[in-house]
Amino acid sequence: MKTNSLDFDAQALREKILDLAMRGKLVKQDPNDEPASVLLEKIKAEKAELVKEKKIKKSKPLPEITDDEKPFDIPDSWEWVRLGEIGSIISGGTPKKSEKSYWDKANIPWITPASMAATQNEIVYKNDDLKFINKNGLEHSSAHLISANSIVVSSRAPIGYVNIVPFDYTTNQGCKSIAPYTYIENKYIYFVIKFTTPDMYKRASGTTFKEISGTRFGETVIPLPPLEEQSRIAAKIAQLFALLRKVESSNQQYAKLQTLLKSKVLDLAMRGKLVKQDPNDEPACVLLEKIKAEKAELVKEKKIKKSKPLPEITDEEKPFDIPDSWEWVRFDDILDVRDGTHDTPKYVANGVPLITSKNINSGKLDFTNINFISENDFQAINARSKVDKGDIIFAMIGTIGNPVLVDTDRKFGIKNVALLKHFTSELNMYFVLDYLLVLQVMWNSTASGGVQKFVSLRKIRKSIIPLPPLAEQNQIVRKIDKISKMLGE
């Protein structure tokens, strides 16, 4: 996650914390700790006793860990082990859905990857929307009853949701669980599984979706510290992760505040309340006549098309009051309003970029993930909607708005995008851009369309904008820019 207040990538930091922890570099080693080699002998003895008592089945020997499987060096007191060596690996199952006797009066928690999605950022499973099966369903399926404080992992769709479950439970076949033996800290295993999820994904199979089998899950190689150090590592990771969540929350709150403040600044600006009016400024009514005369001359020279007359602006259309020196005008009065093609041209490997709404991000043009069209198709689009540096484009279908003022001479075509072409020096296009950020909220709330909302070219042309004197436009733009920089944007 990144915010404007702080260049802060929480996920990258989490990954770094886990990486340091698994290399033995997050907490100090204590020479008094019983080494992991002794711990493993105790686990083997415990496992043999459980097999003898028939509490668990004897498992097949796991393959020796090769040097190639060890991704990095670990402290001398640690050991590389497979997950299956330090706990019982348990798969799940689903009772027949059509058999009501497996589901009636159910009281055994039944966890699925879908139910884990809601609690994926928690260490302990906490989803209240939990499904249940009954004893009959358990006995007539491949599901198993798993003891409390075991670790459940989604093994498909997706791989890698992880939780410690504080109660006895069972799962469907989309989950694998590990019930750690006595000398293992389950919170450490929780974090080590988080760390090894990318490795599990690499070893998973499947085409429609990846799935890791119980066998491959048990073969996962992990670093095992002494028991006391496992606890110290788990506590330190939990502490650091909690601090990261606080920072994330603060940044999210600040980002919301930024948005609210920017919205308020724009609202004040467009009402003429952000900067003082200067009685010496040439009023907007005079400015408007100059712009209309300039546009008429361009129509006469056939540089732009003559647009259809639009109705006078009524009082009902005016959303708020503006200063006496300002004027309400329609977009078509002061701009050459056009749009890009709405057809889908044939894409080519190399050619001219075609900008659509997906290529307009955060007020900038994004050429990194773009389709290309032929020169002929570009010229056909260009005849109708040539984009020049200083023009404004914005999405008119889907999420309407996200305007950007074009700051490049690079040639490109546009599709499903509105184009506001400037033709006069009597209008500050950055002022128009700022007003569009206000107007897009209304457009999105009143847009036509079912599955995909859109705003028509005629509606854009008819839309009204408050027009201040030119000197005040410039002053407003500078003030908004200054406040935006203060807000960290």
Side-chain angles (χ1 to χ4, degrees):
M1 165 196 164
K2 290 189 178 182
T3 72
N4 293 323
S5 58
L6 179 64
D7 190 6
F8 172 71
D9 190 335
Q11 185 55 31
L13 283 173
R14 287 189 184 94
E15 290 170 4
K16 185 62 177 177
I17 289 166
L18 288 174
D19 183 70
L20 290 171
M22 299 308 145
R23 294 172 186 263
K25 296 180 179 181
L26 191 64
V27 302
K28 289 183 179 181
Q29 280 74 54
D30 186 338
N32 298 312
D33 287 345
E34 186 177 70
S37 57
V38 177
L39 182 65
L40 279 175
E41 291 304 316
K42 289 183 177 180
I43 289 172
K44 286 178 183 177
E46 180 186 357
K47 187 176 181 180
E49 187 62 30
L50 290 169
V51 170
K52 184 179 178 180
E53 295 172 0
K54 296 184 178 180
K55 291 182 178 178
I56 63 171
K57 290 182 179 180
K58 186 176 181 179
S59 55
K60 293 179 181 179
L62 291 163
E64 290 290 321
I65 298 172
T66 65
D67 288 340
D68 291 340
E69 290 181 279
K70 301 171 184 176
F72 45 77
D73 293 331
I74 54 175
D76 293 338
S77 58
W78 292 31
E79 294 287 336
W80 285 105
V81 300
R82 297 193 189 275
L83 268 181
E85 294 180 65
I86 52 90
S88 296
I89 306 300
I90 308 161
S91 295
T94 301
K96 193 175 182 180
K97 291 288 184 72
S98 60
E99 183 54 63
K100 291 185 178 180
S101 65
Y102 298 163
W103 303 88
D104 287 344
K105 298 179 181 178
N107 60 357
I108 302 172
W110 185 67
I111 294 174
T112 67
S115 72
M116 293 181 71
T119 188
Q120 61 180 290
N121 295 319
E122 303 292 335
I123 296 176
V124 177
Y125 185 92
K126 292 180 180 178
N127 192 350
D128 292 333
D129 187 21
L130 183 61
K131 293 183 179 179
F132 297 86
I133 62 173
N134 59 31
K135 186 178 178 181
N136 195 27
L138 180 64
E139 291 173 349
H140 288 85
S141 71
S142 57
H144 300 273
L145 189 63
I146 305 163
S147 58
N149 298 316
S150 296
I151 298 105
V152 64
V153 184
S154 63
S155 54
R156 69 181 186 192
I159 296 171
Y161 292 159
V162 191
N163 288 119
I164 296 172
V165 185
F167 44 78
D168 292 348
Y169 68 101
T170 187
T171 76
N172 77 348
Q173 58 270 38
C175 297
K176 302 293 178 283
S177 294
I178 177 167
Y181 299 128
T182 303
Y183 302 100
I184 295 295
E185 168 58 60
N186 63 354
K187 286 184 181 177
Y188 174 78
I189 300 303
Y190 166 85
F191 288 118
V192 87
I193 290 174
K194 284 276 191 185
F195 177 74
T196 56
T197 294
D199 171 65
M200 291 183 196
Y201 192 84
K202 286 178 185 177
R203 293 182 294 111
S205 58
T207 52
T208 305
F209 53 78
K210 293 285 188 179
E211 178 173 14
I212 187 160
S213 66
T215 299
R216 287 191 176 274
F217 179 69
E219 290 174 353
T220 303
V221 175
I222 68 166
L224 184 70
L227 180 57
E228 293 81 1
E229 193 171 348
Q230 291 176 39
S231 298
R232 294 197 300 272
I233 289 171
K236 189 66 176 179
I237 296 173
Q239 178 192 24
L240 294 173
F241 278 20
L243 286 172
L244 280 177
R245 281 196 296 273
K246 285 184 180 179
V247 176
E248 277 184 297
S249 177
S250 297
N251 271 15
Q252 287 165 1
Q253 290 173 14
Y254 182 67
K256 287 179 182 178
L257 181 59
Q258 278 182 312
T259 302
L260 287 172
L261 288 173
K262 181 68 182 290
S263 177
K264 185 62 178 176
V265 168
L266 289 173
D267 182 67
L268 291 171
M270 299 309 151
R271 293 171 185 263
K273 296 180 179 180
L274 191 64
V275 301
K276 287 183 178 180
Q277 279 74 53
D278 186 339
N280 297 313
D281 285 345
E282 184 179 70
C285 59
V286 177
L287 179 67
L288 182 58
E289 291 306 313
K290 289 181 180 180
I291 293 173
K292 285 183 176 180
E294 194 171 346
K295 188 174 184 181
E297 186 62 29
L298 290 169
V299 170
K300 185 178 178 182
E301 295 172 1
K302 296 183 178 180
K303 291 182 178 179
I304 62 176
K305 289 183 178 180
K306 184 177 181 179
S307 50
K308 293 179 181 179
L310 293 169
E312 290 292 320
I313 297 171
T314 64
D315 289 340
E316 288 76 15
E317 288 180 90
K318 301 171 184 176
F320 46 79
D321 293 331
I322 54 174
D324 293 338
S325 58
W326 292 30
E327 291 288 330
W328 281 106
V329 298
R330 298 198 188 277
F331 272 87
D332 205 50
D333 292 330
I334 57 171
L335 294 158
D336 182 11
V337 183
R338 308 184 190 181
D339 62 351
T341 183
H342 295 283
D343 298 325
T344 302
K346 184 179 179 181
Y347 297 132
V348 296
N350 295 296
V352 182
L354 182 67
I355 291 285
T356 65
S357 59
K358 72 174 184 178
N359 305 112
I360 305 174
N361 297 310
S362 303
K364 294 181 180 179
L365 293 177
D366 181 7
F367 289 93
T368 56
N369 180 24
I370 200 162
N371 292 314
F372 296 92
I373 57 175
S374 68
E375 181 68 28
N376 286 340
D377 282 342
F378 165 69
Q379 292 299 338
I381 295 171
N382 214 33
R384 150 197 184 114
S385 51
K386 183 178 184 294
V387 182
D388 294 301
K389 190 174 182 178
D391 293 342
I392 291 173
I393 62 174
F394 60 87
M396 58 192 300
I397 295 177
T399 301
I400 298 161
N402 197 10
V404 56
L405 195 145
V406 178
D407 61 356
T408 179
D409 289 316
R410 182 176 181 178
K411 70 178 185 178
F412 58 87
I414 55 174
K415 176 178 180 287
N416 294 337
V417 166
L419 170 63
L420 305 182
K421 292 193 66 62
H422 74 296
F423 58 80
T424 175
S425 59
E426 304 290 340
L427 180 65
N428 188 319
M429 291 298 282
Y430 283 100
F431 177 82
V432 178
L433 185 74
D434 287 328
Y435 184 67
L436 283 168
L437 294 173
V438 177
L439 191 58
Q440 68 182 5
V441 177
M442 183 190 74
W443 275 342
N444 276 291
S445 64
T446 61
S448 306
V451 178
Q452 260 197 331
K453 291 191 173 183
F454 69 92
V455 59
S456 68
L457 188 61
R458 178 171 173 76
K459 185 170 183 176
I460 296 169
R461 285 173 172 157
K462 283 181 63 180
S463 293
I464 62 174
I465 176 173
L467 182 68
L470 181 58
E472 194 171 345
Q473 289 177 44
N474 298 334
Q475 205 178 351
I476 289 169
V477 167
R478 288 193 296 269
K479 189 72 171 179
I480 291 173
D481 186 57
K482 183 179 179 180
I483 294 172
S484 293
K485 287 177 180 176
M486 289 171 60
L487 292 174
E489 295 190 353

